[in-house]
Amino acid sequence: MNRTIVLASNNAGKLKEFSELLDPLGFSLRTQGEFNVPEADEPHPTFIENALAKARHASRLTGLAALADDSGVCANALEGAPGVFSARFAGEPKSDARNNSKLIEELAPYADKSAYYYCVLVLVRHANDPQPVIAEGRWDGEIIADARGQGGFGYDPHFWLPPLQKTAAELSAQEKNRLSHRGQALRVLVEKLR
């Protein structure tokens, strides 16, 4: 396998986070934008199908191995919503503030505010790889109505972590990377690649 992996994203934060763990293994991670790869459609109802579609798309257009992730927040009382629609829960254009407002409003009638962040990572060695490397992570918490903290993004200011008595937005970047769904999935992926 070529040691260059295309990240099926243009997110600089993800590139930095993933590179920190993959570089020591001898892999060079580059964003799909460096290869003029447009974003893939994400029409599927599950995280894994969307991540696999994004990885295959980037690999097909570059001829290289590709890594993709799909993640979101899932509220138990809402049968896992917003789930794969987390980034666009309140519609277009994407808005963290509107997404959070909608989630809080939809959870209001329920006593159960438990939720979890979920992430799946998919690495394909080539576009038709019949055995992609798959890693997942889950981070449990609760959704609170009042935003707390300045860090993170998305639902983090409303994602309460009872054992820590903090929201995800109140954690340092290092704490979040250690505890988060994405951090967990990335460590599983690294172990599989070793």
Side-chain angles (χ1 to χ4, degrees):
M1 182 168 117
N2 185 317
R3 302 304 276 183
T4 300
I5 299 174
V6 179
L7 178 61
S9 169
N10 293 311
N11 183 309
K14 284 183 189 177
L15 179 67
K16 181 179 184 297
E17 189 178 338
F18 293 177
S19 292
E20 284 173 4
L21 287 175
L22 292 173
D23 286 354
L25 299 180
F27 292 103
S28 169
L29 198 59
R30 297 171 61 192
T31 63
Q32 65 183 10
E34 292 181 56
F35 299 94
N36 298 312
V37 174
E39 284 192 15
D41 290 332
E42 298 179 54
H44 304 289
T46 66
F47 294 107
I48 193 161
E49 289 171 295
N50 285 325
L52 184 57
K54 290 191 281 189
R56 289 199 193 285
H57 172 78
S59 183
R60 190 172 297 112
L61 294 177
T62 62
L64 296 168
L67 173 65
D69 82 308
D70 199 29
S71 57
V73 71
C74 303
N76 292 310
L78 304 179
E79 298 180 338
V84 296
F85 303 106
S86 293
R88 296 174 176 81
F89 193 43
E92 294 286 357
K94 292 186 214 177
S95 163
D96 288 348
R98 288 189 300 110
N99 288 340
N100 279 301
S101 293
K102 181 174 180 178
L103 180 57
I104 290 160
E105 183 182 321
E106 292 203 7
L107 275 176
Y110 299 96
D112 181 5
K113 308 291 189 208
S114 66
Y116 58 93
Y117 271 125
Y118 177 80
C119 173
V120 64
L121 296 174
V122 174
L123 176 78
V124 295
R125 289 164 279 264
H126 53 83
N128 298 314
D129 191 344
Q131 191 178 1
V133 180
I134 299 170
E136 59 187 342
R138 177 178 163 145
W139 196 20
D140 290 286
E142 298 171 6
I143 301 301
I144 58 171
D146 296 323
R148 291 180 51 172
Q150 302 300 314
F153 60 92
Y155 298 89
D156 289 355
H158 296 275
F159 191 73
W160 180 250
L161 303 160
L164 301 177
Q165 293 294 292
K166 291 180 178 180
T167 66
E170 292 176 295
L171 301 177
S172 70
Q174 293 78 14
E175 283 178 298
K176 186 180 173 190
N177 288 344
R178 187 170 49 80
L179 299 171
S180 77
H181 53 307
R182 190 171 286 116
Q184 293 174 41
L186 195 49
R187 284 188 296 280
V188 170
L189 180 75
V190 166
E191 284 309 308
K192 289 185 174 192
L193 291 178
R194 282 188 203 282

